[in-house]
Amino acid sequence: MRRQKRAAAIHDISCFGKCSLTVALPILSAAGVETAVIPTAVLSTHTGGFSDFTYRDLTADMRPIMRHWKSLGLSFDAVYSGYLGSFEQVSIVKEFLSLFRSEDTLVLVDPAMADGGQLYKTFSPPFVQEMKGLCMHADLLVPNITEAAMLTGETYREGPYDHAYIEALLRGLLSLGARQAVLTGVWFDQRQYGAASLAHGEREPHYVFSPRVDGFYHGTGDVFASALLAARLNGRPLEEAARIAVDLTCGSILRTKAAGTDLRFGVNFEEGLPAFIRALGL
Ligand code: PXL
């Protein structure tokens, strides 16, 4: 019998608004991946478009949780980091990797810190440098265009993009030290929207697209990265995993658009899980 895969997800819990752990857990679980969590903070909502959200920092709990896990002899097939609230939390994730990483561990870093050309309001520019230090340790880096531009020092541009810009971002990301990078929010014309991937040693990026839907849908980066990791842990090659992740993300956006939900409330990925599970062949 195939051994069940186990991931450690290190993100905040935004209690309402469907992002970070409230997205990572159901998607990885649906894909058959056991998911242990280190919550970095508890917020009443995410920070995108809400004001007066609560924020309880859990930095002080992170090291004790990982030390306890170490004492239990736990091991992980993947480590998945997302929104991290401080420099200290970035250091703790690096410590986590030094304690738990083995030859076969897949380290996915989603440098969740910015979108639409701007840092999220809880961050200041020096945080980008700190995040770069974590990206060095990633096997798989999954930023959006804004994050990729900030991490690589390329100028941020609004779309539509051209192939040269996307390729420069991807090569810049790999030069940070990651083996593979998948860039989200890629579009060359009004009809299509998707992701571009590049692995170390590859000559050209691979592109996966779905029909473009206007509007800023919150939490889609987390849906995408969680689905990508789930597909990789189910043995899918990077390009195929990107296809599966784009399909879940696009379907979630379309359902949300059809329902007319407040865009800050997150996307309806839940009703896409049956098709996602089928795409994984489970
Ligand atoms: O989706 C990324 C994310 C995660 N966690 C929090 C956020 C955001 C994006 O805004 O605010 C708290």
Side-chain angles (χ1 to χ4, degrees):
M1 217 181 85
R2 199 166 61 107
R3 187 180 60 81
Q4 188 186 20
K5 294 284 172 71
R6 180 190 288 146
I10 311 176
H11 306 242
D12 69 281
I13 302 182
S14 291
C15 298
F16 179 78
K18 293 199 270 190
C19 67
S20 48
L21 282 182
T22 64
V23 164
L25 266 172
I27 291 178
L28 286 161
S29 298
V33 177
E34 176 188 352
T35 306
V37 300
I38 301 192
T40 58
V42 180
L43 295 83
S44 51
T45 65
H46 57 72
T47 65
F50 293 107
S51 45
D52 302 326
F53 49 84
T54 69
Y55 190 109
R56 182 171 301 277
D57 183 82
L58 296 178
T59 306
D61 294 289
M62 293 173 70
R63 284 194 180 91
I65 292 171
M66 73 193 198
R67 285 194 204 112
H68 185 211
W69 287 1
K70 194 68 197 171
S71 78
L72 297 173
L74 299 182
S75 61
F76 299 96
D77 299 289
V79 179
Y80 173 21
S81 77
Y83 182 98
L84 299 169
S86 63
F87 284 47
E88 176 75 357
Q89 292 191 350
V90 175
S91 298
I92 295 173
V93 174
K94 287 192 243 167
E95 280 173 50
F96 187 91
L97 295 179
S98 64
L99 278 178
F100 289 99
R101 183 178 213 157
S102 72
E103 280 273 287
D104 305 321
T105 313
L106 173 62
V107 178
L108 188 154
V109 173
D110 174 356
M113 60 182 173
D115 210 349
Q118 309 249 315
L119 277 173
Y120 295 144
K121 54 188 168 216
T122 45
F123 297 113
S124 62
F127 187 77
V128 174
Q129 205 52 36
E130 194 64 15
M131 188 51 96
K132 231 166 146 172
L134 177 59
C135 292
M136 281 171 48
H137 300 280
D139 295 305
L140 177 52
L141 202 49
V142 190
N144 60 34
I145 302 261
T146 306
E147 290 153 352
M150 289 178 174
L151 289 166
T152 60
E154 288 283 333
T155 308
Y156 168 74
R157 288 201 221 155
E158 305 268 332
Y161 301 104
D162 55 53
H163 287 78
Y165 181 63
I166 297 302
E167 193 164 337
L169 289 175
L170 284 166
R171 295 213 181 275
L173 291 168
L174 295 186
S175 73
L176 297 178
R179 281 196 298 116
Q180 301 180 322
V182 180
L183 187 56
T184 60
V186 175
W187 56 291
F188 297 125
D189 61 56
Q190 296 296 335
R191 287 168 298 132
Q192 292 182 312
Y193 195 82
S197 63
L198 188 67
H200 199 76
E202 277 183 341
R203 289 185 49 219
E204 285 184 3
H206 298 280
Y207 294 96
V208 277
F209 289 111
S210 59
R212 182 179 161 79
V213 181
D214 274 333
F216 177 78
Y217 288 83
H218 204 278
T220 50
D222 296 336
V223 171
F224 180 88
S226 303
L228 184 78
L229 178 61
R232 294 290 286 135
L233 288 174
N234 275 281
R236 298 310 167 103
L238 187 62
E239 244 184 288
E240 217 179 301
R243 172 83 264 159
I244 290 170
V246 164
D247 287 347
L248 177 63
T249 310
C250 178
S252 307
I253 290 172
L254 289 172
R255 272 185 296 279
T256 308
K257 185 183 165 77
T261 319
D262 185 325
L263 298 192
R264 299 172 303 170
F265 290 7
V267 289
N268 177 352
F269 70 89
E270 295 91 338
E271 290 181 310
L273 291 177
F276 169 66
I277 292 166
R278 285 193 296 275
L280 291 174
L282 297 173

